[in-house]
Amino acid sequence: MDATPTPAPAKGLESHPRKRHLPFPYDQDLSPVLRHLNRRTAAGRRRLANDPHTAAYLAAGMRLVAQHLGPGAARATTVRGRHRVERAVLGFLSQRAVAAEVANNPAAFPRRGVVSTLRTQWRTQSDYVADLINFAMWPVNYRPGYVEQRAVNTERLVTGDDFVRTVHETAYRHTAEGARTPSVRLSLALMAVADGDDTVQRALADTYRGYLSSWKELYADVIEARNLRLRPGLTLDDLANALSAATDGIILRSIGDPGSGVLDHDRCRSLMGTVSLALIHGFLEPADATRERTLEQAVEARIGARTGTRTGARNGAGPDGAG
């Protein structure tokens, strides 16, 4: 997650005085965050981004995400006394559902939601969902204390004495929090259903680029401080993508199969810690190693000769099979 500092309050919003009374972070300048609003000019998009009615629909969407994707949420519908999973994964974010939820906004927000007004703000539902992703994954929406804890973990990973323990602790905390965070669950759900929706796919891609950029900075600092280098043929992008993909997979597994043990809350450990160490060991080598080896060469060196040859050697045969 990006450690972007909290932005300053929105400025130049005299046309929307009610904006100043909205709770944080809805009182901030949202124009850099909302990129799919239904306006052609930059000035028009900025005004619409900071319209209290835009904030009202975002707040309604965020609440629906928490209700339907948060831990312990009631996501099942009853059919003849039985429960089934709702087939429309994002049906709860339909324009009608979002507009209706506006009525439940806190008093500081507009409380009259209308589908036609929602369509005035965003031309299509994909545009709205894309901006909801941008807003939900905006760093100021992360849990309280995230930025401070991230700074502590970074320092320990770069210069701390017990690197392995720090990797395990950081991986557990990041994975466990991701599994509990509705916005993370939203991004994972969208990845499963966004095929063919270019608008949502671009929003997800942009989110990942921003998310991974700060992690790549951390990985580069660790590599330098720990006197390591990437194996030939591998890049920092490869390492970041591998760790990110593994994290997503373990979060999904922990949500869908809580008994799998990929998250051990009693020990504050996770399979992600083990995977992280394995990837570090596989992707990196000492910077002062005299011989560079690709990952494939390193695996071949570890595995050795083919099984048949090794069996023959154990039986006393020579390299050519002769005794």
Side-chain angles (χ1 to χ4, degrees):
M1 297 289 182
D2 196 322
T4 303
T6 300
K11 297 179 180 179
L13 305 177
E14 292 80 2
S15 60
H16 299 296
R18 191 173 180 179
K19 170 86 170 178
R20 297 193 298 270
H21 301 291
L22 297 179
F24 181 85
Y26 298 92
D27 62 340
Q28 305 294 300
D29 178 11
L30 301 184
S31 57
V33 181
L34 307 181
R35 304 163 192 162
H36 299 85
L37 291 164
N38 189 20
R39 292 295 184 274
R40 292 185 178 181
T41 67
R45 288 192 297 271
R46 177 177 169 80
R47 283 194 298 271
L48 193 59
N50 292 301
D51 187 319
H53 291 87
T54 299
Y57 290 108
L58 289 175
M62 291 291 287
R63 200 161 50 253
L64 288 172
V65 168
Q67 291 169 6
H68 289 266
L69 295 181
R75 287 179 291 276
T77 56
T78 301
V79 179
R80 295 181 181 178
R82 296 176 298 169
H83 291 281
R84 64 176 176 83
V85 174
E86 186 65 57
R87 290 185 181 276
V89 176
L90 295 177
F92 66 88
L93 285 179
S94 70
Q95 291 180 332
R96 189 179 299 275
V98 172
E101 181 62 27
V102 170
N104 297 320
N105 277 338
F109 292 94
R111 289 176 163 179
R112 186 172 182 270
V114 183
V115 170
S116 60
T117 305
L118 178 58
R119 289 174 177 168
T120 299
Q121 316 295 92
W122 289 275
R123 187 173 59 85
T124 68
Q125 183 65 359
S126 289
D127 289 328
Y128 170 76
V129 171
D131 270 348
L132 189 65
I133 297 168
N134 293 336
F135 182 78
M137 301 302 288
W138 192 22
V140 300
N141 274 318
Y142 298 161
R143 64 166 177 79
Y146 171 83
V147 173
E148 293 77 9
Q149 183 62 54
R150 168 67 184 268
V152 171
N153 291 340
T154 296
E155 183 66 22
R156 291 177 62 196
L157 287 168
V158 174
T159 63
D161 293 331
D162 197 336
F163 179 78
V164 169
R165 179 180 177 182
T166 302
V167 168
H168 273 300
E169 291 177 353
T170 302
Y172 167 76
R173 185 179 294 109
H174 186 62
T175 308
E177 289 173 355
R180 293 192 300 264
T181 304
S183 59
V184 173
R185 292 180 174 219
L186 172 64
S187 68
L188 295 174
L190 284 168
M191 281 192 284
V193 299
D195 185 29
D197 191 324
D198 293 341
T199 301
V200 172
Q201 286 181 329
R202 283 196 300 270
L204 288 168
D206 289 344
T207 294
Y208 267 90
R209 272 193 293 272
Y211 164 69
L212 292 179
S213 63
S214 63
W215 284 105
K216 287 194 290 186
E217 292 175 6
L218 170 58
Y219 301 151
D221 290 343
V222 170
I223 289 171
E224 181 179 2
R226 301 288 178 176
N227 194 36
L228 300 168
R229 68 188 179 205
L230 285 157
R231 292 189 181 278
L234 296 176
T235 68
L236 204 58
D237 283 334
D238 293 330
L239 178 60
N241 282 325
L243 288 166
S244 174
T247 301
D248 289 345
I250 289 171
I251 288 175
L252 278 172
R253 180 69 185 281
S254 71
I255 294 171
D257 184 8
S260 63
V262 296
L263 281 178
D264 185 343
H265 298 295
D266 293 334
R267 298 175 55 239
C268 293
R269 287 289 184 271
S270 70
L271 181 61
M272 190 59 217
T274 303
V275 171
S276 297
L277 292 173
L279 287 171
I280 291 168
H281 183 71
F283 274 53
L284 305 175
E285 62 184 359
D288 54 5
T290 56
R291 178 183 177 185
E292 288 188 338
R293 280 179 170 168
T294 65
L295 178 60
E296 292 77 10
Q297 290 170 337
V299 170
E300 288 178 350
R302 176 66 59 86
I303 297 301
R306 288 178 299 179
T307 302
T309 304
R310 295 175 65 188
T311 301
R314 285 198 300 270
N315 291 333
D320 59 356

